[in-house]
Each structure stands twice: as structure tokens, then as C-alpha cells.
Amino acid sequence: MRLLSITRCEPGMKLAKPIFTDTGAVLLNTEVLLTSTMIRRLQEKGINTLYIYDDATKDIEAGEVISEKVRRTAARTIYHTFNEILGSDQKWRARLSPSAIADFRNIFEDILLDLKQNRQAMNLLTNICAQDHYIYAHSLNVAIYAAALALHLGYPDKDIVELGMGALLHDIGKLRVPGEVLYKPGRLTDDEFIEMKKHAEYGFEFLRNQEGVSLLAAHCAFQHHERLDGTGYPRGLKGDEIHRYARVLAVCDVFDAVTTNRVYRSAMLPHDAMEILYTGSGTHFEPEIVDAFRRTVAIYPIGLTVQLNTGETGVVVDYNRNVPARPVVRVTRLPDGSVPSRYYEIDLAKELTVMIVKCDAIL
């Protein structure tokens, strides 16, 4: 299978992976033949990439470290719980039910189990999803990244579950931000930005009064925008004043935020997003966590078309566990643009002078 920008998809192409709604329902399943109407409607729903069957990569499967069943269950739970809060007469004085809190804990334990059973490089989260509500998908993605990162850092399971609860709920305060601010397509005014920043305090105040949610998990909502040098918000904390969970979430939150399409900007390519983390390492983000994230997340998804500094063009077909930023690439075009008589593969972890210089706009 190959991961293609939807602008390069054509009628008659066959889907190689399903497309989901943000509630976990299947929008289009595998084997469906695309039509021009389907492509147009998918674009209208904000979907920019599709996995397509392709002769050059017909033997390649883009496996996921989180099973489809776990992901869909998690998406439904987040959607229904957050919607209950929005629809409640009590709203921010409401209590999460014990069953809802248990569901969140069970979700994360399932995510953790999947990650333990698939100790490979963490694939960039390229499940194709029509996102009507950015917060829901973002909450799940950050939780998955945080779990993979915490495993790499050697956290005990008990700590990882607490971190996971905080990650799943870290942006819950945004539900209190007015929709015209939260989903504004243009630049926020100063007053609107002040209101947006209040989501960290809103989330903390809500979560710290919930039985079954630890104070540490509530502090994930409170501190995930704090920065090592004190330039973050809401309290301008520095260094070790910021809880280690929040320091982990800061890295995961920023990476997922900038690699996801938003109403006010297009997604950034994953290697450019990593540059943001590197640039902020030591000032905004803890260097150990940034380095662990680099070693944990395979930023070039299987099926992605890339160009090498040799002039060759190819498709990512495998990861290297210890250096996920240097994958195995199957060459499908020679430097002169011609198709080789036989496809061949280059392992970038072994061929250190060869590097990726460009990749498709995939997200």
C-alpha cells in the first residue's frame, strides 16, 4: 500500500485502509473503489491523505501498534464523554460518572497493552479520520504518544497509567472555550488568545474535583503548556517546578498539534515538526524527552513517498527500531525519473550518506 495526498488520488483507485469518523465509525472501508464524488467529499471533511493499493508496494502493510478495535473504542468513549459534559445543564459543576472514569482508565490500559505487545518503532499516527472535533482525536493521539514515550523512558506501569489519564483529559478545558474562539479560522485577537489560554486552568479546576481522577492527572491539564524557561502558561513555571508528566505531555502535545490540520493552518510535515522540538530542546522542552521521542516515533510512515539526496525517489517500506528517523526505502524512480527494471531497497540506517531531503505533503 502507498500513502498518497488526496490531490494525487484518482477515480478507480482502491482504498487499502479504512476511513473513520472521529466517533470511531467506519466512513469508507477497505477495497472501496474511489469515485470523483467520494474524493471531493473526503476533501470537504478535511481528509488529505489516503492509503491506496499500489503495484510497487503491494506486498507492504502499514501495521499499527494500536489495534483498530482499541482505537475505535477509545474514540467512541472520548466522544460520548466529552459530549455529555457539553450537553449537561451543570456543565463545569458536573461530575464524571464512576463508569466514565473507569472507561478512560480501561482505554488507556488497553493502549498500554497494545504498545507492549508491539515493541516496534511507534508509527506516526496516520489513521485516516474525518475530524469534526479536533479535540477528540488530539486527546487520543497525545495519550498514545505519551504511553509510547513513557515506556521508552522506563516508567513503571502505575505511573504510565496516571500519565495516560492526564493525557486523555489534558485538553478537556477547551470544551469551556467559546466555539467562535476555539474554531476561529483566522488569527486570534489578544483578548481571544487570553481566553484560549484559560483552557489549562479550566481543565484543572474541573478535573481536580472529580473522584477517581488523581491530582497528578489534573496537573497534566494545568501544566502541559508550561515551558522549561518559564515562558509558558498559565503560571510561568520553570524547570523542575513543572511536573515530569507535564514535561512529557508538552512534547507530545506540540508534535501532534503541528502535524494535524487545523481550521487556521495546514499540517506541518513530521520532520519539520521534529525540528520544532529540537529547536526548543533545553529551553521549552526537556532534552532527554525530546531525544526519547525521536527514538520512539517513526516520523516517516510506511507507504510515504520520499526523495533522497541521491536524486532517487522511493517509498518507505520498513522502520529501524533504534533509528526510526532512518527507514528502509524502496526505490521506484531513478534520478533521471525513469522506473528501474527492478525495484531495490536502501536501508538508511546502514547507508549513512543517503538521507531523505523531501517527502509528500501527507497530513
Side-chain angles (χ1 to χ4, degrees), residues 70-91:
V70 168
R71 178 178 288 278
R72 291 177 65 185
T73 300
R76 283 195 298 268
T77 301
I78 293 170
Y79 177 84
H80 290 305
T81 301
F82 283 19
N83 268 12
E84 281 181 14
I85 294 170
L86 286 173
S88 170
D89 293 335
Q90 297 294 317
K91 290 200 185 305

Side-chain angles (χ1 to χ4, degrees), residues 170-183:
H170 80 282
D171 259 353
I172 199 167
K174 283 186 176 176
L175 299 180
R176 190 172 171 179
V177 176
E180 60 269 22
V181 174
L182 189 61
Y183 298 109

Side-chain angles (χ1 to χ4, degrees), residues 191-233:
D191 287 343
E192 288 170 338
F193 187 55
I194 289 170
E195 178 61 29
M196 178 68 82
K197 290 197 296 184
K198 288 180 182 177
H199 79 272
E201 296 170 81
Y202 292 154
F204 175 68
E205 290 299 325
F206 179 73
L207 292 174
R208 74 189 185 111
N209 292 314
Q210 303 296 326
E211 289 186 27
V213 177
S214 73
L215 191 59
L216 286 179
H219 270 88
C220 289
F222 204 15
Q223 297 183 4
H224 68 279
H225 283 291
E226 300 287 1
R227 298 294 180 256
L228 290 184
D229 60 1
T231 58
Y233 64 85

